[in-house]
Amino acid sequence: MHNKRSLRQVVVAIMLFAAFLVQGTWALAGTTGGLSGQVTGAKGAPVAGATVKVSSPSEIVSTTTDATGHFVFLTLAPDTYTVTASKAGFNTVSYPGVSVFADQNL
């Protein structure tokens, strides 16, 4: 009878461990998304040092393009953003209606 109780305790412990693993997977689900792109001039040349701003009702964030015109936002709240790129000597360009979803990088 003592062996039955021990076996039952082991089985219960394994089931609890499995339940915690599943629960941990839910906790690892992402709550943010990302957005990346490249700013180019009228002739397609990359624009280094441009300011790229994303704005939505939930947040406003900005970054600067690298030497190849690329920008990255890694942790944006899921929302619909307006993306604006600007630099002195260039026309400012805005793209409204850019949707960001959790666990997705655009």
Side-chain angles (χ1 to χ4, degrees), residues 3-17:
N3 286 338
K4 278 188 174 182
R5 183 179 299 172
S6 295
L7 182 59
R8 187 178 333 177
Q9 289 173 342
V10 169
V11 170
V12 169
I14 290 171
M15 288 174 46
L16 286 173
F17 180 70

Side-chain angles (χ1 to χ4, degrees), residues 4-104:
K4 278 188 174 182
R5 183 179 299 172
S6 295
L7 182 59
R8 187 178 333 177
Q9 289 173 342
V10 169
V11 170
V12 169
I14 290 171
M15 288 174 46
L16 286 173
F17 180 70
F20 285 126
L21 284 178
V22 170
Q23 179 62 30
T25 303
W26 291 349
L28 293 175
T31 57
T32 61
L35 178 66
S36 63
Q38 183 180 29
V39 177
T40 58
K43 295 182 181 181
V47 179
T51 299
V52 180
K53 179 175 79 170
V54 294
S55 57
S56 74
S58 63
E59 68 182 315
I60 298 172
V61 185
S62 65
T63 191
T64 304
T65 58
D66 65 13
T68 62
H70 285 92
F71 65 90
V72 177
F73 295 97
L74 293 176
T75 56
L76 296 174
D79 208 336
T80 300
Y81 290 85
T82 296
V83 180
T84 304
S86 61
K87 184 175 180 176
F90 292 85
N91 291 329
T92 298
V93 179
S94 291
Y95 296 97
V98 178
S99 296
V100 173
F101 301 96
D103 289 335
Q104 291 186 356

